[in-house]
Amino acid sequence: MRFSVSANYPAEPEQVAQMLLDETFHRWRFPKVATEFQIFTSEGTEVIETRAALQVSELDPRLARALPGTVNALLIETLGDAPTISISIAGVPITMTADAPIRATATGSKRVISGQLRVNIPIFGNIIEQSVIDHIGKGIALEEAAAEQYFAGKGNRGDGEEL
């Protein structure tokens, strides 16, 4: 399934890239999900790995029969000349790869994430694909809200940790 979603940021592309390399921002970006982060450079490209344990019933109750109760997701984002995003879920035959360039706009920046999502599970594949795309959209909304506060200097996750 082809898809395209976008995120808008109130800052220049270089500032957005720096925000995406800020580990504190990532912990705040997904406040309700247990996550681990690793930010490193590989062959001159900045790489952000986010690992999260997700409750299937909270993602989409229809999937509870097809997937185990908890799934471990891996989100890999690269920055640089050809930014990309990929998602994989351990034990689930899913592949998602997308281009994710950050471009300047009149009001800041826009990141257009467009690519291909495939779930190879008979009967449930299309349901899972749509659910993943819906959750990518929810993740984008969380990221946009976090970026607004990040750039406004109001970054507090609610546990006292300042951005």
Side-chain angles (χ1 to χ4, degrees):
M1 175 179 284
R2 298 248 354 125
F3 72 96
S4 183
V5 295
S6 62
N8 295 293
Y9 306 98
E12 297 297 318
E14 297 78 20
Q15 294 171 302
V16 172
Q18 288 304 308
M19 175 192 72
L20 292 171
L21 293 171
D22 185 333
E23 187 173 325
T24 302
F25 172 76
H26 286 279
R27 285 194 306 272
W28 191 50
R29 176 184 183 193
F30 303 117
K32 295 182 180 181
V33 179
T35 53
E36 296 177 17
F37 307 95
Q38 185 176 12
I39 299 172
F40 58 93
T41 301
S42 175
E43 299 178 13
T45 299
E46 298 290 343
V47 179
I48 304 138
E49 286 187 359
T50 304
R51 296 177 187 278
L54 306 171
Q55 294 296 318
V56 172
S57 61
E58 292 178 16
L59 295 174
D60 188 331
R62 299 174 296 172
L63 303 179
R65 290 179 285 159
L67 299 175
T70 301
V71 293
N72 295 307
L74 173 62
L75 167 68
I76 299 175
E77 300 173 83
T78 65
L79 301 175
D81 294 337
T84 62
I85 295 178
S86 66
I87 296 175
S88 60
I89 299 175
V92 180
I94 180 175
T95 56
M96 191 220 78
T97 55
D99 295 325
I102 303 168
R103 306 266 191 251
T105 66
T107 58
S109 301
K110 184 176 205 169
R111 186 179 196 190
V112 177
I113 302 164
S114 59
Q116 185 74 32
L117 173 67
R118 292 190 197 275
V119 177
N120 293 318
I121 298 177
I123 301 171
F124 292 103
N126 290 338
I127 294 170
I128 296 171
E129 287 173 351
Q130 191 56 57
S131 181
V132 170
I133 290 170
D134 292 346
H135 280 81
I136 290 170
K138 290 176 184 176
I140 293 292
L142 289 173
E143 184 170 308
E144 287 175 329
E148 285 281 339
Q149 291 188 4
Y150 182 90
F151 289 114
K154 299 177 184 173
N156 184 316
R157 305 178 354 176
D159 64 1
E161 183 173 351
E162 297 288 328
L163 284 176

